[in-house]
Amino acid sequence: MTLAAKERLAFDALLLAIASAFSAEGRPGGDAAAVRLRAASKRPFYARPARDHPGALLRQVCTLDNAIDCARLVLGCAASLDWEHWQGTGLADDVSNSLYTTELLGPDGHVRDNKVRVGLLVSEAGTDYPPSSHAAEETYFVIAGKAEWVLEGAPYG
């Protein structure tokens, strides 16, 4: 088995783990995302050069004591993903310098899909991402560390 094949197996395992998490939500949007993620493992993987990489931060986060199994799957394919640092995106520098994302499935994803967008976000401890809203629904699964969220103006919790 070549290194590329091993990397694809790791990527597919991550997609299937995320699909299981979406299925466990028990909501129509989660079920739809799970179906698309499961189908993605049979479709072409588009490799793009990473613009940046969370490197040590990702290893630190994914090896925390409270990291779930999915975090180890992220580490298994992290080098194959096109991570993007958020510098220059209009956010305050202290926030944008602390965020990295990659799109796994979606219009710009490693697997192309025009109906669903699924990605990963890695942030440094203590990052306070400002409130935002989007037309599409968003779901965040914390796979390692701790997060507090605000939903529609409610207090952090």
Side-chain angles (χ1 to χ4, degrees):
M1 182 179 297
T2 67
L3 183 59
K6 287 180 184 179
E7 291 170 348
R8 180 60 198 243
L9 285 174
F11 179 77
D12 289 346
L14 176 61
L15 294 181
L16 294 174
I18 295 171
S20 293
F22 273 116
S23 290
E25 286 186 306
R27 63 178 180 82
D31 292 340
V35 167
R36 304 300 291 185
L37 283 160
R38 287 187 184 104
S41 67
K42 297 169 184 67
R43 297 188 11 230
F45 178 91
Y46 294 92
R48 295 183 307 268
R51 293 173 281 272
D52 208 340
H53 197 286
L57 172 63
L58 185 64
R59 281 188 299 282
Q60 176 188 9
V61 168
C62 289
T63 57
L64 289 169
D65 290 341
N66 72 337
I68 64 173
D69 290 340
C70 189
R72 287 159 193 70
L73 296 173
V74 171
L75 281 179
C77 62
S80 303
L81 304 177
D82 66 330
W83 296 96
E84 183 174 6
H85 203 240
W86 282 26
Q87 282 179 308
T89 58
L91 293 172
D93 285 346
D94 64 326
V95 174
S96 65
N97 291 337
S98 303
L99 300 172
Y100 298 84
T101 58
T102 185
E103 188 170 306
L104 305 174
L105 176 70
D108 303 312
H110 287 291
V111 175
R112 304 291 161 73
D113 193 296
N114 290 322
K115 295 183 180 184
V116 173
R117 186 183 305 253
V118 176
L120 302 175
L121 177 138
V122 178
S123 71
E124 293 183 24
T127 301
D128 190 4
Y129 186 84
S132 63
S133 64
H134 307 279
E137 64 180 86
E138 288 185 81
T139 299
Y140 288 86
F141 297 105
V142 178
I143 62 171
K146 176 181 159 187
E148 294 181 337
W149 301 96
V150 173
L151 180 61
E152 298 180 16
Y156 280 101

